[in-house]
Amino acid sequence: MWGITRTRYADCNGSEASEETGIVLNIGGVIQVLCGDVLNRFPETRLAELWNTSKGCLEDLSSLCDDYDSGKGEFYFDRDPDAFKCIIELYYYGEIHIKRGICPICFVKEMEFWKIDLYFLDDCCKGDLQEAEDELAEIAEKVQTILVDREGDPSARGWQCFQMCLWKLLEKPESSLSARVIAIVSFLFILISSVVMCVGTIPDLQVEDAEGNPIEHPILEAIETTCIGWFTVEYVLRLISSPNKVKFVLSFMNIIDFMAIMPFYVVLTLTSLGTAMMELANVQQAVQALRIMRIARIFKLARHSSGLQTLTSALKSSFSELGMLLMYMGVGVFLFSALAYTLEQSHPETMFTSIPQSFWWAVITMTTVGYGDIYPKTTLGRCNAAVSFLCGVIAIALPIHPIINNFVIFYNKQQVLETAAKHEIELMALRSSEACAEESGPHIQRRSVGVAAGVWDNAMRSCHSDTYIPLLKDPRAGVQTPSLDRSFDSS
């Protein structure tokens, strides 16, 4: 049997001495000595197989370890010693924990090498592993998006090619100079339209119609019409070039775009029906409401601002904290408004005529706004008000930190994913160019100046080759995506 013999004592006085046989492991330069009885607790693992290998079977020995030093009696493994410290916990404690600083994806490969099933990984670490797999899937998705934006789909022909070029021109400002110019022009139209909408409400700039009613200045109305025309053309072209029409229509930002355009045409339609229709009170109120809906166009700025997009995504991930905040405020408003109504009934000049009417006082008090239009006049009512705004400050302050923390985490994650995706694109382009140079010789090497035009084919081929980084299966999409371990480790 391979191994060494060492003496074990039951107590510090040396009584009940016994002998244990173990093996010496050299894991990346770090020496570890493990007992055979401990390794046999999990006989299907690599170390247990190594322990049970007969002394004369050199072929089995070479398949289980990288090298064996007969002089020192050491089995050498070219593996990560820090990860191995976590691996040996299985033999002593029956479970494995991933230490901080170790990449979960790399650790899974270490477990596969040592023939240890993921079942022994503790549940707390499985969550970190799932998070890492999701990040890798997002990086792979970003890589594919960048490749499509740069080179397009080589299989696209005719209308599909035109549709893809138009989509990149309107939706991908970073894809070309012309797309960036269109994005800037669209941004300016949004600003001009918002400014015109605000300036048009100044009385000195308004004019009177035939009936003496104030209306917007004709020049401002012409500018407004021009902006709406640009928004309409942009929306229609984006809808035509969209690869998924249903997803495009149901997108939140596209709904905002439609809401910013729709009031203008509804008002124009009602106006064209004649003055008899416009004289109806309900129609006039509807027109006024539709004009107010023009403020939705300010949200179009989020399309051209990564900061606003990050804020929106962070708020989406903080729905539970926002719900907790609303719950705290709702309970407080109901409680303190009821108390204020009850305590103020004894005063002859009370301002609290009902509990629903007291809701407004409770809201402005708990949020420390305090307009002063409603206030308590009794001593007990003032004490109730003091307690209410103290509780309001606490209720608002408690969920704020988790919301801010979610924003910071999401923002940092987006930066890491974008950096990792760019690094992976550079690595894939470098690998593809080197592969072309090595496989095809000087003839293709002379043509490598234009290799960027074929990054898509070469990169996609390298993703599925044996020489590339192993594949990681994306459980959400049901397809295989490249496991970008190098980018993940660097992040």
Side-chain angles (χ1 to χ4, degrees):
M1 185 73 67
W2 305 94
I4 60 173
T5 302
R6 60 179 182 176
T7 303
R8 183 183 64 178
Y9 297 94
D11 54 33
C12 58
N13 297 324
S15 60
E16 298 184 9
S18 61
E19 291 185 353
E20 270 191 350
T21 305
I23 58 175
V24 181
L25 305 176
N26 188 332
I27 312 297
V30 178
I31 304 299
Q32 297 281 350
V33 180
L34 298 178
C35 300
D37 295 340
V38 174
L39 298 179
N40 281 327
R41 295 175 182 175
F42 300 92
E44 297 180 355
T45 60
R46 180 182 292 268
L47 291 178
E49 293 179 0
L50 181 65
W51 169 255
N52 296 320
T53 301
S54 61
K55 187 174 183 179
C57 191
L58 298 178
E59 295 182 357
D60 293 342
L61 179 63
S62 61
S63 64
L64 294 175
C65 64
D66 295 327
D67 196 8
Y68 174 69
D69 189 347
S70 58
K72 298 181 180 179
E74 294 180 357
F75 296 94
Y76 178 75
F77 292 90
D78 188 14
R79 311 301 298 184
D80 184 9
D82 294 331
F84 185 76
K85 293 179 180 179
C86 305
I87 294 295
I88 60 177
E89 290 184 357
L90 172 67
Y91 299 96
Y92 291 102
Y93 308 112
E95 60 182 11
I96 298 178
H97 291 268
I98 303 177
K99 297 298 188 294
R100 181 175 298 179
I102 299 179
C103 172
I105 303 299
C106 296
F107 189 79
V108 169
K109 295 179 180 179
E110 290 289 328
M111 293 181 64
E112 293 176 355
F113 174 79
W114 297 108
K115 299 182 180 181
I116 298 175
D117 193 86
L118 287 177
Y119 169 79
F120 297 105
L121 189 64
D122 196 72
D123 292 338
C124 63
C125 299
K126 289 180 180 179
D128 297 337
L129 175 62
Q130 183 62 42
E131 182 179 354
E133 291 179 349
D134 292 341
E135 289 185 2
L136 292 179
E138 292 180 12
I139 294 175
E141 184 178 355
K142 286 183 177 291
V143 168
Q144 185 176 3
T145 302
I146 293 175
L147 290 175
V148 172
D149 293 342
R150 287 185 178 182
E151 303 300 326
D153 190 355
S155 61
R157 295 293 183 270
W159 166 252
Q160 293 182 352
C161 184
F162 173 76
Q163 186 181 17
M164 184 175 297
C165 293
L166 184 60
W167 178 256
K168 290 195 298 181
L169 193 65
L170 297 173
E171 284 286 332
K172 309 291 182 181
E174 68 279 358
S175 61
S176 63
L177 178 61
S178 56
R180 191 174 295 110
V181 171
I182 291 178
I184 294 175
V185 172
S186 180
F187 181 80
L188 292 177
F189 268 108
I190 296 172
L191 288 181
I192 293 173
S193 177
S194 302
V195 172
V196 167
M197 182 188 66
C198 297
V199 172
T201 59
I202 300 177
D204 295 338
L205 298 180
Q206 293 178 343
V207 296
E208 295 182 354
D209 57 6
E211 299 178 356
N213 298 321
I215 59 174
E216 291 185 358
H217 196 280
I219 297 179
L220 297 179
E221 188 174 356
I223 297 175
E224 173 77 9
T225 304
T226 303
C227 295
I228 291 296
W230 170 269
F231 296 150
T232 304
V233 173
E234 182 187 27
Y235 182 85
V236 172
L237 291 178
R238 288 172 54 242
L239 177 61
I240 294 174
S241 61
S242 173
N244 190 336
K245 301 296 188 298
V246 177
K247 183 178 179 181
F248 177 87
V249 173
L250 298 179
S251 175
F252 174 75
M253 291 307 304
N254 295 326
I255 293 176
I256 293 297
D257 293 343
F258 181 77
M259 291 176 59
I261 299 171
M262 181 265 297
F264 175 83
Y265 292 101
V266 174
V267 173
L268 186 63
T269 302
L270 294 176
T271 305
S272 63
L273 293 178
T275 57
M277 177 67 72
M278 293 299 296
E279 288 177 356
L280 297 177
N282 294 334
V283 175
Q284 292 179 358
Q285 294 177 0
V287 170
Q288 186 65 23
L290 290 173
R291 288 184 179 275
I292 295 175
M293 284 180 61
R294 294 183 301 174
I295 62 177
R297 69 189 59 174
I298 196 64
F299 292 103
K300 288 169 64 67
L301 293 175
R303 183 178 301 280
H304 307 283
S305 174
S306 59
L308 290 177
Q309 294 175 4
T310 303
L311 177 61
T312 303
S313 302
L315 290 178
K316 287 182 180 179
S317 63
S318 303
F319 275 158
S320 60
E321 288 81 5
L322 293 174
M324 182 173 60
L325 174 60
L326 293 177
M327 183 188 68
Y328 289 162
M329 293 298 297
V331 172
V333 167
F334 183 82
L335 174 63
F336 291 111
S337 61
L339 289 175
Y341 171 76
T342 303
L343 297 175
E344 289 293 310
Q345 288 301 301
S346 60
H347 198 280
E349 300 179 357
T350 180
M351 297 182 177
F352 299 85
T353 58
S354 66
I355 293 180
Q357 187 266 348
S358 303
F359 285 170
W360 170 248
W361 169 84
V363 170
I364 62 177
T365 302
M366 293 189 67
T367 55
T368 67
V369 175
Y371 289 113
D373 52 347
I374 301 177
Y375 55 90
K377 296 182 178 181
T378 63
T379 302
L380 293 178
R382 291 169 180 172
C383 294
N384 175 63
V387 175
S388 65
F389 68 70
L390 288 176
C391 293
V393 170
I394 297 175
I396 294 175
L398 286 178
I400 291 300
H401 179 71
I403 295 174
I404 296 176
N405 191 40
N406 288 340
F407 176 81
V408 173
I409 292 175
F410 188 85
Y411 180 79
N412 293 334
K413 180 181 177 180
Q414 290 298 112
Q415 298 298 318
V416 168
L417 291 178
E418 291 178 2
T419 303
K422 292 179 180 179
H423 289 173
E424 190 63 22
I425 289 292
E426 296 174 356
L427 179 61
M428 292 168 67
L430 179 62
R431 287 176 178 269
S432 61
S433 60
E434 291 179 352
C436 290
E438 293 178 359
E439 294 177 1
S440 302
H443 176 67
I444 298 299
Q445 190 172 4
R446 289 193 300 268
R447 297 172 55 192
S448 61
V449 178
V451 73
V455 169
W456 173 271
D457 294 332
N458 296 326
M460 290 297 101
R461 189 181 305 112
S462 64
C463 286
H464 298 280
S465 64
D466 295 334
T467 59
Y468 191 62
I469 302 175
L471 297 180
L472 174 67
K473 189 171 184 179
D474 184 4
R476 298 175 300 175
V479 295
Q480 284 185 330
T481 53
S483 176
L484 313 179
D485 294 340
R486 187 184 302 273
S487 300
F488 183 82
D489 292 340
S490 63
S491 65

